[in-house]
Amino acid sequence: MAKSIAENTYLRLKTVLDVLTEGVWSGDALNAGEVLAEATARVPFSPHEAELLSGGIPRGHKTLTSATAKLVKAGWLVKSRAGWIITEEGMRATVAFPDVDSFTAAVDAGTPVPADTPVPAVPANFVSPKAARAEAAAKTETVKKTPAKKAAAAKATATKETATKATATKAPAKKAAEAVGKAAKLIEDAVEPVVKAVRSRKTSPKAKAEAPAPDASAGAVATAVETFPQPEAVAVAGDFNTFLGAPENWAPQYDEAQMELDVLDQLWKISAELPAGYYTFKIALNRSWQENYGAFGAFDGPNHELHHGGGTVTIRYDHRTRDIIVN
């Protein structure tokens, strides 16, 4: 582990290329957020780098995000709406400059990759980090569920035994009830003709109310969903877009910043995992700043503010009122 912020940053830049190369080998499509998360996981932040800046972003994360521009300038990385893509030259750079010192010198000096450098081949024992994490998570989930499954099986067995005992206990009572029921039925059959005769004398034909004709529309169920004119796209544009996987913050044009419309409640929604911190953002329509709404639904108004304790956050936007709900 390097000591200074600069050395750590260059080590993470090299790791960014390594992660993207592994994505090419495995065929995994990695967005910017996943690449940066993997790089910082392999090269963790020092206490100083982990300190949150005024925007609620760790110092090391902001430094790394800015430094990736050097990879773009070198021709080793392409940033697009579809995500971050490593070039063939970038893959060859991982072979030409295998250690952090040579890599740092090449980036600073603009050293081109030697023409005879091969594109790195997939190692024989290579396992996609994404697949490895998924497998580990599945095993962990299985271990967690095993005690619960055993407890459920034991409970089911106990319930079955209890039900069997209850059935055995109720058998005599059931036979007695059947006998009483048969006797009551005989009495009811004998009395019924008398009851009918009495009722027929008391009720005249005119007293009978005619049954109203059923209303064909009474049982109809309203299935139509109330709709409201909506924009083509709604984005949450703020200082946390890179955590969503976007190449940069405050950029409503990227797919990662777009919300999804729930046609049932006519609300635009987006959920994301964010570290604890203070964030600001606006709602921008149709992938541009031409129409945007800030606090209190004001057009081009002040930024919304979010004091987040860390974890999943969901933002909802109602275009009818321009209001937002955060939880």
Side-chain angles (χ1 to χ4, degrees), residues 119-320:
V119 175
V122 184
N125 59 346
F126 172 72
V127 177
S128 165
K130 207 171 187 178
R133 283 195 298 271
E135 183 179 354
K139 289 181 179 179
T140 302
E141 190 66 20
T142 301
V143 171
K144 288 181 179 178
K145 288 183 177 180
T146 299
K149 287 183 178 179
K150 289 183 178 179
K155 184 177 181 180
T157 301
T159 302
K160 186 176 181 181
E161 292 177 353
T162 302
T164 302
K165 291 179 181 179
T167 301
T169 303
K170 291 180 179 178
K174 185 177 180 181
K175 290 181 179 180
E178 290 176 352
V180 172
K182 289 180 180 180
K185 185 66 169 63
L186 292 175
I187 296 173
E188 182 181 345
D189 291 342
V191 174
E192 182 63 20
V194 179
V195 174
K196 286 183 177 180
V198 173
R199 287 177 177 172
S200 63
R201 287 196 298 270
K202 288 185 177 181
T203 307
S204 64
K206 293 183 180 180
K208 295 181 179 179
E210 295 183 359
D215 185 356
S217 63
V221 179
T223 57
V225 177
E226 183 182 358
T227 58
F228 183 83
Q230 299 288 351
E232 293 183 3
V234 175
V236 173
D239 53 17
F240 54 82
N241 289 146
T242 54
F243 287 114
L244 306 181
E248 56 186 317
N249 290 323
W250 295 103
Q253 69 270 27
Y254 294 112
D255 292 340
E256 292 83 356
Q258 304 307 310
M259 308 178 82
E260 292 186 5
L261 176 64
D262 188 322
V263 295
L264 294 180
D265 57 19
Q266 293 289 286
L267 296 180
W268 293 83
K269 304 174 183 178
I270 188 171
S271 295
E273 289 285 333
L274 296 179
Y278 167 75
Y279 303 97
T280 57
F281 65 94
K282 282 189 177 183
I283 300 298
L285 307 188
N286 301 324
R287 297 180 181 265
S288 75
W289 286 110
Q290 186 173 355
E291 183 178 0
N292 69 86
Y293 298 96
F296 310 109
F299 176 79
D300 201 21
N303 296 338
H304 288 289
E305 298 182 358
L306 171 60
H307 296 268
H308 184 50
T312 303
V313 61
T314 299
I315 300 175
R316 295 175 174 83
Y317 168 69
D318 189 337
H319 190 57
R320 293 165 292 190

Side-chain angles (χ1 to χ4, degrees), residues 48-118:
H48 180 63
E49 292 174 312
E51 292 177 359
L52 299 182
L53 301 177
S54 58
I57 301 176
R59 177 180 283 103
H61 188 281
K62 185 172 184 179
T63 303
L64 174 60
T65 304
S66 301
T68 55
K70 296 183 179 182
L71 301 181
V72 176
K73 183 178 180 180
W76 300 345
L77 174 66
V78 175
K79 295 182 180 180
S80 68
R81 290 186 179 183
W84 287 6
I85 303 171
I86 189 172
T87 63
E88 181 177 307
E89 195 77 356
M91 294 181 67
R92 293 170 59 235
T94 63
V95 176
F97 314 114
D99 58 85
V100 68
D101 291 333
S102 62
F103 179 83
T104 300
V107 171
D108 286 345
T111 305
V113 177
D116 58 349
T117 304

